[in-house]
């Protein structure tokens, strides 16, 4: 176990808004020519995109988007200095569209480049160098197929670039936009990677990578800049996920990046440009220059000699770990953010030509790192011996003995908690709670064995891991066993409901945030286009609701079946537009409890989806959580 830092003076109570209002600055990046910086900052009560000169201050910046309904998260520079693109949905329904902003006329309304009917959405966009002024956009105009389109940014003219031939197939393009490789999810759950002949289009199988150890797919999947290889995350003969190159001609595999005892961190593939990336790539050449691995603190493995010089300079700017990164095309001017448990996403500008660096901004300038609680990596075995990795956050200024403890359970479940700033953990620690986040079996990032140990273990060993983690904290003296709470979102909400049904006397209070209550109904109501991709996740780990015996097993693991056991005070929060965990999942739990007279508070946000984005809703939710845990 890692030593826990000593306590200092008791900090002041920090307002809920300081933790859950939008950051004053977020998601920075530098323009391809290095002259401008874009970032997200509040305007009209929401996150909007701002642009300023690389040497200017925020006071000089121009807000170039005008969204007063929902905050913006993802935006893109283009190869034309006039245009900037961003993605937006409607009230959390995840029907993403791609919009164009005219930086020469920033007061003009944005233009929707991808008008589509409900249920179709944009999945991503990237430039197409051979055709200046255009971008390639992945979207499912055909509901079950994610095809590739070329859009002329200035005119909006849209041309079909590549049509996928099967729902579980994906063609990977080289830097010229030509088909180079294909990946295909087979009926037995294996992924087949093939080379595509540029002359004939003939597909030639190179490699099969199977199945359940890749519940969110083989990540990443990148074509090398020369088009002669593809980079994938693969275990090979190891328990650790590695970055591997597959040769287009021979199918031979070469390990590009590997760390014994550590796995490649694939979290960044879930929100490119927003979450810290799995691999850093050169804007100039497209080559991979570094890779991120999982550890007690995230670990960066540098792969490129030029970037090694840049990285050595960047490391001196922060005690944290490199987060997001962008450069101009000359790779002289860089904008970097850093992961840190108490000083999140501080952003720096660095000029490699001059050696000059300066801090651009702190996203939460009113938060004093001295008032925030260190996050400490801890380790212990589950009852069956499986090693568990967790993070413990203890309140500042309080003796860490016999505290109230909140078990904060991550979603997914194919996700993992990591060292860094957690507004939820900091908010709870500031209220005097110990906070424990455990990477239970099924979590990614800790090896093949750890992930696949969750097959068939929903509401059983996956839940045992959570109980074992809290029992460890009690045995260490940190936690009072009579004052344990549980709080989670999505799968974490399901875990909270399992906690108060499978172990109804263990928790003093629980919060279910967009959580699953009925596994069969949850799977039946997933968006249709997602179902083929769930072969190695929900179908492999939980079951198929259309098979009667498997549906019966799913219902036995569903909190709705055990709802009569709930007597723990419960807070439920749900977005009305959630397309992943539909509102019925929460309604049914609440109606059943109210029918029995069991106290339950229910928050429904009409303008939210799978998780609350708008600051007002966030503040409302966490004020309710604050009251709920304080009372119970």
């Amino acid at each position: 176990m890692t030593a826990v830092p000593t306590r200092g003076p008791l900090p002041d109570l920090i307002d809920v808004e300081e933790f859950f209002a939008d950051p004053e600055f977020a998601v920075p990046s530098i323009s391809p020519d290095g002259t401008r910086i874009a970032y997200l900052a509040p305007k009209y009560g929401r996150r909007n995109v701002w642009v300023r000169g690389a040497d200017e201050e925020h006071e000089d910046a121009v807000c170039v988007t005008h969204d007063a309904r929902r905050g913006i998260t993802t935006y893109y520079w283009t190869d034309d200095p006039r245009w900037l693109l961003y993605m937006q949905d409607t009230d959390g329904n995840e029907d993403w569209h791609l919009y164009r902003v005219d930086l020469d006329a920033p007061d003009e309304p944005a233009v929707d480049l991808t008008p589509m009917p409900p249920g179709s959405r944009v999945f991503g966009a990237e430039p197409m160098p051979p055709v200046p002024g255009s971008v390639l956009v992945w979207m499912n105009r055909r509901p079950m197929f994610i095809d590739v389109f070329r859009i002329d940014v200035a005119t909006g003219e849209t041309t079909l670039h590549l049509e996928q031939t099967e729902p579980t197939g994906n063609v990977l393009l080289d830097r010229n936009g030509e088909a180079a490789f294909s990946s295909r999810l087979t009926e037995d759950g294996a992924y087949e990677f093939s080379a595509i002949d540029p002359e004939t289009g003939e597909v030639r199988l190179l490699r099969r990578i199977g199945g359940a150890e890749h519940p969110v797919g083989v990540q990443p999947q990148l074509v090398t800049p020369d088009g002669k290889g593809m980079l994938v995350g693969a275990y090979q003969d190891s328990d650790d996920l590695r970055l591997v190159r597959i040769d287009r001609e021979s199918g031979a595999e070469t390990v590009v990046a590997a760390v014994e005892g550590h796995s490649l961190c694939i979290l960044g593939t879930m929100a490119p440009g927003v979450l810290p990336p799995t691999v850093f790539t050169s804007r100039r050449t497209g080559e991979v220059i570094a890779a991120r691995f999982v550890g007690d603190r995230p670990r960066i493995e540098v792969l490129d000699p030029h970037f090694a010089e840049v990285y050595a300079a960047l490391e001196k700017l922060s005690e944290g770990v490199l987060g997001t990164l962008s450069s101009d095309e000359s790779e002289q001017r860089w904008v970097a953010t850093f992961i840190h448990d108490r000083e999140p996403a501080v952003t720096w500008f660095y000029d490699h030509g001059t050696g000059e660096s300066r801090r651009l901004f702190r996203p939460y300038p009113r938060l004093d790192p001295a008032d925030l609680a260190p996050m400490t990596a801890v380790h212990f075995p589950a009852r069956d011996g499986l090693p568990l990795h967790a993070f413990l956050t203890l309140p500042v200024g309080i003796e860490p003995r016999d505290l109230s403890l909140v078990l904060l359970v991550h979603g997914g479940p194919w996700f993992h908690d990591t060292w860094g700033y957690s507004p939820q953990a900091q908010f709870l620690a500031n209220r005097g709670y110990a906070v424990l986040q455990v990477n239970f079996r099924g979590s990614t990032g800790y090896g093949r064995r750890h992930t696949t140990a969750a097959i068939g273990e929903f509401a059983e060993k996956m839940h045992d891991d959570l109980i074992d983690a809290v029992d460890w904290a009690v045995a260490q003296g940190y936690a009072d066993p009579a004052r344990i709470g549980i709080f989670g979102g999505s799968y974490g909400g399901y875990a909270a409901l399992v906690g108060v049904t499978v172990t109804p006397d263990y928790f003093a209070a629980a919060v279910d945030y967009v959580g699953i209550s009925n596994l069969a109904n949850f799977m039946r109501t997933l968006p249709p286009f997602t179902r083929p991709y769930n072969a190695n996740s929900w179908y492999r780990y939980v079951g198929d609701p259309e098979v009667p015996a498997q549906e019966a097993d799913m219902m036995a693991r569903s909190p709705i079946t055990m709802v009569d056991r709930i007597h723990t005070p419960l807070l439920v929060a749900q977005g009305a537009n959630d397309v992943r965990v539909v509102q019925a999942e929460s309604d049914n739990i609440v109606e059943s409890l109210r029918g029995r007279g069991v106290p339950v508070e229910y928050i429904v946000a009409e303008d939210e989806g799978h998780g609350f984005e708008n600051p007002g809703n966030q503040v409302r939710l966490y004020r309710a959580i604050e009251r709920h845990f304080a009372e119970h």
Side-chain angles (χ1 to χ4, degrees):
M1 183 193 125
T2 309
V4 173
T6 55
R7 308 291 98 193
L10 197 65
D12 293 333
L13 209 62
I14 299 170
D15 289 342
V16 174
E17 285 88 344
E18 297 298 339
F19 292 114
F20 298 106
D22 280 333
E24 293 195 11
F25 308 95
V27 194
S29 66
I30 194 165
S31 62
D33 64 6
T35 63
R36 293 176 293 176
I37 293 169
Y39 51 94
L40 305 179
K43 181 82 169 177
Y44 317 110
R46 297 289 182 264
R47 290 187 309 273
N48 275 279
V49 182
W50 296 64
V51 175
R52 77 194 208 203
D55 300 316
E56 293 179 336
E57 301 298 323
H58 183 58
E59 292 70 33
D60 308 309
V62 176
C63 183
V64 301
T65 60
H66 310 280
D67 203 318
R69 183 166 177 168
R70 189 164 186 82
I72 293 167
T73 299
T74 302
Y75 68 88
Y76 307 92
W77 292 103
T78 69
D79 59 6
D80 186 326
R82 179 176 176 182
W83 308 116
L84 185 137
L85 308 176
Y86 71 93
M87 283 174 52
Q88 187 57 288
D89 69 344
T90 303
D91 293 339
N93 66 1
E94 299 189 45
D95 282 354
W96 301 100
H97 287 222
L98 187 69
Y99 292 86
R100 184 193 72 204
V101 173
D102 187 345
L103 298 184
D104 290 346
D107 293 330
E108 291 293 312
V111 174
D112 184 358
L113 296 176
T114 54
M116 289 181 288
S120 294
R121 64 191 62 173
V122 170
F123 293 84
E126 61 183 48
M128 187 179 180
V131 187
S134 67
V135 289
L136 293 176
V137 179
W138 283 255
M139 51 184 166
N140 64 331
R141 280 181 167 180
R142 299 184 297 160
M144 293 298 291
F145 294 84
I146 302 171
D147 299 317
V148 188
F149 297 83
R150 188 173 74 249
I151 298 180
D152 184 291
V153 176
T155 66
E157 181 183 356
T158 300
T159 308
L160 178 65
H161 182 74
L162 188 143
E163 192 169 77
Q164 305 287 0
T165 57
E166 51 186 317
T168 60
N170 179 39
V171 173
L172 296 148
L173 307 178
D174 63 20
R175 291 194 94 195
N176 294 317
E178 300 296 329
F181 295 88
S182 72
S183 74
R184 172 177 169 266
L185 179 59
T186 64
E187 286 189 9
D188 65 358
Y191 289 87
E192 290 185 347
F193 293 95
S194 300
I196 299 175
D197 188 288
E199 305 296 329
T200 66
E202 180 187 345
V203 175
R204 178 169 48 84
L205 181 65
L206 296 173
R207 175 78 155 86
R208 279 171 56 93
I209 298 177
E213 64 264 39
H214 296 283
V216 292
V218 174
Q219 303 287 355
Q221 297 181 25
L222 301 168
V223 180
T224 58
D226 61 9
K228 296 179 180 178
M230 72 176 300
L231 302 178
V232 299
Y235 289 98
Q236 298 181 303
D237 58 354
S238 169
D239 191 52
D240 308 320
L241 192 67
R242 303 161 167 170
L243 185 64
V244 174
R245 180 187 183 275
I246 302 174
D247 187 77
R248 182 169 175 169
E249 292 305 315
S250 67
E253 291 184 19
T254 310
V255 176
V256 175
V259 180
E260 183 69 29
H262 297 266
S263 280
L264 193 67
C265 178
I266 62 170
L267 293 186
T269 62
M270 299 179 187
V274 178
L275 292 176
T278 297
V279 295
F280 298 92
T281 54
S282 164
R283 194 172 205 162
R284 181 171 49 86
T285 67
E287 295 283 0
V288 171
I289 54 177
R292 184 183 308 274
F293 287 80
V294 177
D296 288 352
R297 284 167 52 120
R299 179 167 170 163
I300 309 295
E301 291 295 302
V302 176
L303 306 174
D304 174 80
H306 170 67
F307 183 64
E309 297 176 14
V310 173
Y311 183 69
L314 293 175
E315 270 197 306
K316 296 173 184 173
L317 302 178
S318 172
E319 295 176 354
V321 178
L322 184 62
T324 62
L325 184 67
S326 69
S327 79
D328 64 356
E329 287 179 332
S330 73
E331 295 194 342
Q332 294 302 301
R333 311 189 105 195
W334 299 79
V335 170
T337 68
F338 290 88
I339 299 164
H340 195 284
D341 56 348
R342 285 159 292 135
E343 196 164 11
V346 174
T347 300
W348 286 81
F349 173 87
Y350 168 65
D351 188 318
H352 191 58
T354 65
E356 174 216 356
S357 62
R358 68 181 187 277
R359 193 173 73 182
L360 292 177
F361 37 72
R362 295 178 63 228
Y364 305 95
R366 287 180 295 279
L367 287 178
D368 183 346
D371 291 338
L372 300 181
M375 178 184 279
T376 304
V378 294
H379 316 94
F380 39 82
R383 65 189 66 176
D384 65 356
L386 186 75
L388 297 178
H389 301 258
F391 295 93
L392 179 66
T393 305
L394 295 171
V396 175
I398 301 173
E399 184 187 358
R401 294 203 64 77
D402 297 324
L403 299 170
S404 296
L405 180 142
V406 176
L407 179 65
L408 184 56
V409 188
H410 70 67
W414 302 286
F415 195 78
H416 65 265
D417 284 314
T418 182
W419 182 85
Y421 177 74
S422 163
Q424 293 89 355
Q426 292 294 345
F427 162 68
L428 292 165
N430 184 252
R431 268 58 183 165
Y433 302 104
V435 182
L436 186 60
Q437 298 165 270
V438 59
N439 286 309
F440 49 87
R441 71 192 65 209
S443 303
T444 57
Y446 289 94
R448 180 189 344 226
R449 175 184 169 223
H450 188 86
T451 300
T452 58
I455 294 171
E457 297 298 345
F458 273 56
E460 293 187 5
K461 288 183 180 178
M462 293 169 78
H463 178 61
D464 290 345
D465 290 349
L466 300 179
I467 299 297
D468 293 348
V470 177
D471 286 349
W472 169 87
V474 170
Q476 296 294 313
Y478 297 129
D480 177 353
R483 294 186 295 146
I484 307 295
I486 185 170
F487 164 32
S490 194
Y491 173 86
Y494 166 81
L497 293 174
V498 168
V500 297
T501 51
V502 172
T503 47
D505 301 318
Y506 195 87
F507 296 100
V511 178
D512 158 30
Y513 177 32
V514 298
I516 301 161
S517 64
N518 180 326
L519 288 165
N521 182 67
F522 157 73
M523 288 182 62
R524 287 193 174 106
T525 53
L526 285 169
F529 75 87
T530 67
R531 290 174 196 168
Y533 298 98
N534 289 328
N536 287 322
S537 54
W538 294 101
Y539 289 103
R540 182 72 178 88
Y541 281 71
V542 186
D544 183 346
E546 304 313 317
V547 178
Q550 293 180 31
E551 182 189 25
D553 181 65
M554 295 165 79
M555 293 308 298
R557 301 169 189 269
S558 294
I560 195 67
T561 307
M562 303 174 271
V563 70
D564 289 350
R565 299 181 187 178
I566 298 178
H567 56 78
T568 305
L570 184 64
L571 169 64
V572 178
Q574 177 70 43
N577 305 312
D578 194 336
V579 293
R580 302 190 191 202
V581 178
V582 296
Q583 187 177 330
E585 292 296 306
S586 293
D587 286 350
N588 292 339
I589 283 284
V590 171
E591 287 168 12
S592 177
L593 292 176
R594 286 179 173 166
R596 285 173 43 225
V598 175
V600 57
E601 182 178 359
Y602 191 22
I603 296 173
V604 178
E606 298 297 333
D607 57 347
E608 296 284 8
H610 194 58
F612 294 1
E613 282 282 323
N614 293 336
N617 292 326
Q618 289 248 36
V619 170
R620 175 185 168 207
L621 170 64
Y622 285 96
R623 282 188 175 142
I625 289 172
E626 180 175 30
R627 290 192 306 270
H628 184 72
F629 283 143
E631 180 179 350
H632 301 295

